[in-house]
């Protein structure tokens, strides 16, 4: 089934008119249809065009999906992809130079090259890349979906490979199994949240032979639902895991004075504890679920105390791959983890309750992730609203 731009736009504007929206001019960059999944990607030139296709409350795209009898319609703006592509290219350049210059042994190089392979694959399948498809457990004979994707670009040109400028997306679905390092080459900071769970899954699948470490200050910071997720994920991935108890009594007491926001100091304690564990166990890479340190900052050298010249390297998986929260949730959804609303930290909500002015700094953090593209505006609004909901 082929979807040409003129027909699709006419269909969209008819729906807009029927539900009381005004007719508008919409610029499309690409239309991609995946026959196997019965999914349609509509790539608009910019975000205002994306909003017009979606419609208020999602009514337009919802009706469009029903009338076309399609399983799912994904509406994205090409301007967002340009930024994502640029950041991944910076990450790829940084990884390549790091692999060539880091001086780490073959086990580390093996795992880092696996990450680079994943990054390059995602770059070459920018629109339709899906982590779950990439890591399918089923065996693949390498067949591509030849003829499985129909599409036209905004110039009406068809072809066979999106990356060569055609209107067809190469939605190749293969099984990717990477050789694992013989020894652990990464410690993964694991909190039970979506970002750290995503990072642990990737570290395992990319052959880092990871050890998962959780800093445990008690239930006021690490409630039982987080521990449930940690234990379940590590068991399912067959990853070694350790809880490290840490005394937060001073931090908690100071937080309840209202003089500082607890997140910064909490993060510092967690980082220092995990760096120390890595040094003590002679593991040179520490993985975090940071989404903001993109490009050249995706992997950085860390100076940690005076340890006979030993150097640690911090690797931020989500930032390196320029992933969104939705991508994180998509990959972790297969592991039956409990969904955690908002930030999930009881200490933070207690501080907000006692000192409402502290919400400002939490909101700033949310806005940073929104500005970076890691969070969609709707997701950001839900997080901010969670600070003001009452029981």
């Amino acid at each position: 089934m082929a979807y040409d731009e003129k027909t699709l736009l006419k269909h969209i504007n008819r729906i807009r008119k029927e539900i009381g929206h005004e007719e508008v001019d919409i610029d499309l960059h690409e239309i991609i249809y995946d026959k196997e999944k019965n999914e349609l990607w509509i790539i608009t030139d910019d975000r205002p065009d994306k909003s017009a296709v979606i419609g208020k409350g999602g009514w337009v795209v919802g009706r469009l999906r029903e009338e076309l009898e399609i399983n799912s319609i994904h509406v994205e703006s090409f301007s967002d992809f340009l930024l994502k592509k640029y950041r991944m290219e910076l990450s790829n350049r940084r990884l390549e130079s790091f692999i060539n210059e880091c001086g780490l042994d073959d086990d580390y190089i093996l795992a880092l090259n696996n990450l680079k392979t994943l990054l390059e694959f995602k770059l070459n399948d920018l629109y339709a890349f899906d982590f779950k498809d990439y890591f399918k457990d089923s065996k693949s004979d390498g067949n591509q979906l030849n003829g499985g994707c129909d599409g036209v670009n905004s110039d009406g040109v068809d072809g066979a490979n999106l990356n060569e400028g055609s209107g067809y997306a190469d939605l190749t679905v293969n099984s990717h199994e990477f050789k694992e390092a013989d020894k652990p080459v990464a410690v993964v900071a694991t909190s039970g949240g979506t970002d750290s769970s995503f990072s642990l899954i990737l570290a395992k699948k990319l052959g880092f032979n990871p050890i998962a470490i959780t800093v445990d200050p008690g239930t006021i910071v690490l409630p039982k639902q987080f521990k449930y997720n940690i234990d379940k994920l590590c068991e399912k991935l067959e990853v070694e895991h350790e809880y490290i108890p840490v005394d937060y009594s001073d931090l908690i007491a100071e937080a309840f004075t209202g003089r500082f926001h607890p997140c910064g100091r909490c993060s510092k304690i967690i980082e220092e504890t995990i760096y120390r564990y890595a040094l003590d166990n002679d593991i040179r890479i520490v993985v975090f679920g940071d989404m903001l340190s993109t490009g050249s900052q995706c992997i950085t050298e860390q100076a940690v105390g005076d340890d006979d010249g030993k150097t640690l390297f911090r690797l931020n998986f989500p930032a390196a791959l320029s992933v969104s929260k939705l991508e994180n949730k998509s990959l972790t959804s297969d592991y039956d983890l409990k969904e955690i609303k908002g930030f999930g930290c009881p200490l933070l909500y207690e501080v907000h309750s006692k000192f409402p002015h502290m919400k400002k700094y939490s909101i700033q953090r949310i806005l940073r992730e929104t500005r970076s593209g890691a969070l969609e505006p709707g997701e950001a609004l839900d997080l901010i609203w969670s600070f003001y909901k009452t029981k």
Side-chain angles (χ1 to χ4, degrees):
M1 182 188 300
Y3 296 93
D4 68 90
E5 179 181 354
K6 184 176 180 180
T7 302
L8 190 62
L9 288 176
K10 186 176 180 181
H11 199 145
I12 290 168
N13 266 315
R14 176 181 60 76
I15 293 173
R16 289 181 60 87
K17 183 177 180 180
E18 288 176 357
I19 64 176
H21 292 4
E22 69 278 6
E23 185 173 340
V24 293
D25 292 328
I26 302 171
D27 292 323
L28 300 186
H29 181 81
E30 195 104 39
I31 306 166
I32 307 162
Y33 177 63
D34 179 356
K35 282 182 179 177
E36 183 173 285
K37 294 182 179 179
N38 191 26
E39 292 183 349
L40 181 68
W41 277 262
I42 300 175
I43 314 299
T44 66
D45 278 355
D46 205 355
R47 275 188 167 255
D49 302 299
K50 174 181 174 179
S51 297
V53 173
I54 293 173
K56 296 175 183 178
W59 280 95
V60 175
V61 73
R63 278 274 301 275
L64 183 67
R65 184 189 66 80
E66 291 174 0
E67 293 183 10
L68 295 180
E69 298 182 338
I70 287 178
N71 289 339
S72 182
I73 297 180
H74 308 271
V75 187
E76 304 289 350
S77 69
F78 184 63
S79 56
D80 289 342
F81 280 114
L82 284 174
L83 179 58
K84 182 173 287 193
K85 180 181 179 182
Y86 178 66
R87 285 173 173 163
M88 286 193 289
E89 287 172 344
L90 292 177
S91 295
N92 196 36
R93 190 187 313 163
R94 169 60 178 153
L95 272 173
E96 184 171 0
S97 64
F98 180 80
I99 290 168
N100 292 333
E101 299 168 6
C102 66
L104 296 174
D105 65 36
D106 290 345
D107 278 318
Y108 288 92
I109 300 304
L110 168 72
L112 289 167
N113 273 319
N114 290 344
L115 172 60
K116 191 171 186 298
T117 297
L118 169 62
L119 177 59
E120 290 173 348
F121 191 96
K122 189 180 181 189
L123 266 168
N124 289 326
D125 193 13
L126 194 59
Y127 297 153
F129 178 85
D130 182 273
F131 285 101
K132 289 201 289 189
D133 281 344
Y134 187 80
F135 290 118
K136 272 187 181 294
D137 293 328
S138 58
K139 292 183 179 179
S140 169
D141 60 5
N143 289 336
Q144 297 185 3
L145 301 178
N146 295 327
C149 301
D150 292 332
V152 294
N153 63 16
S154 57
D155 298 318
V157 179
D158 59 14
N161 190 319
L162 175 66
N163 300 311
E164 294 174 356
S166 77
Y168 282 74
D170 178 9
L171 300 182
T172 305
V173 179
N174 283 321
S175 172
H176 293 82
E177 292 187 9
F178 292 101
K179 183 178 178 181
E180 188 170 63
D182 292 332
K183 65 182 181 184
V185 297
V187 172
V188 181
T190 308
S191 68
T194 303
D195 300 337
S196 71
S197 297
F198 172 88
S199 299
L200 182 59
I201 294 167
L202 278 191
K204 177 63 177 178
K205 290 186 175 293
L206 292 174
F208 281 77
N209 194 359
I211 296 175
I213 296 298
T214 302
V215 173
D216 185 2
T219 55
I220 194 168
V221 175
L222 190 70
K224 61 182 181 180
Q225 63 265 33
F226 283 90
K227 285 192 171 183
Y228 172 88
N229 284 351
I230 293 166
D231 296 341
K232 189 176 186 68
L233 183 60
C234 290
E235 180 182 2
K236 200 161 186 177
L237 291 173
E238 299 182 349
V239 167
E240 179 183 344
H241 174 258
E242 183 175 341
Y243 287 104
I244 300 180
V246 174
D247 183 4
Y248 263 36
S249 55
D250 289 343
L251 184 150
I252 293 168
E254 291 179 19
F256 286 144
T257 66
R259 292 200 302 268
F260 71 91
H261 194 279
C263 288
R265 297 192 188 189
C266 178
S267 296
K268 184 177 180 181
I269 293 172
I270 290 172
E271 290 170 1
E272 290 175 348
T273 303
I274 293 178
Y275 289 152
R276 172 55 52 192
Y277 179 93
L279 283 172
D280 290 345
N281 290 273
D282 198 25
I283 300 174
R284 305 288 298 281
I285 293 178
V286 178
V287 173
F288 286 91
D290 184 356
M291 302 183 73
L292 297 179
S293 300
T294 56
S296 62
Q297 300 303 307
C298 70
I299 184 165
T300 55
E301 184 175 335
Q302 300 295 311
V304 185
D306 183 13
D307 286 277
D308 301 325
K310 289 183 181 178
T311 305
L312 291 180
F313 301 97
R314 175 176 178 141
L315 175 56
N316 304 299
F317 272 154
L321 295 162
S322 196
V323 302
S324 66
K325 288 282 187 183
L326 290 176
E327 287 179 286
N328 283 359
K329 291 176 181 177
S330 174
L331 181 60
T332 58
S333 64
D334 280 349
Y335 292 84
D336 300 320
L337 305 181
K338 289 185 177 180
E339 183 179 0
I340 296 168
K341 302 289 187 181
F343 280 96
C345 175
L347 174 61
L348 181 60
Y349 284 100
E350 285 296 321
V351 170
H352 284 172
S353 177
K354 292 179 179 294
F355 309 102
H357 67 279
M358 286 295 174
K359 294 177 183 179
K360 170 185 175 182
Y361 304 103
S362 299
I363 292 171
Q364 284 179 339
R365 174 184 168 188
I366 294 169
L367 294 179
R368 285 200 301 272
E369 291 196 356
T370 308
R371 184 176 65 246
S372 74
L375 278 177
E376 284 291 321
E379 295 174 297
L381 185 59
D382 287 342
L383 282 172
I384 293 171
W385 179 235
S386 72
F387 298 156
Y388 295 93
K389 288 182 179 178
T390 56
K391 294 180 180 180

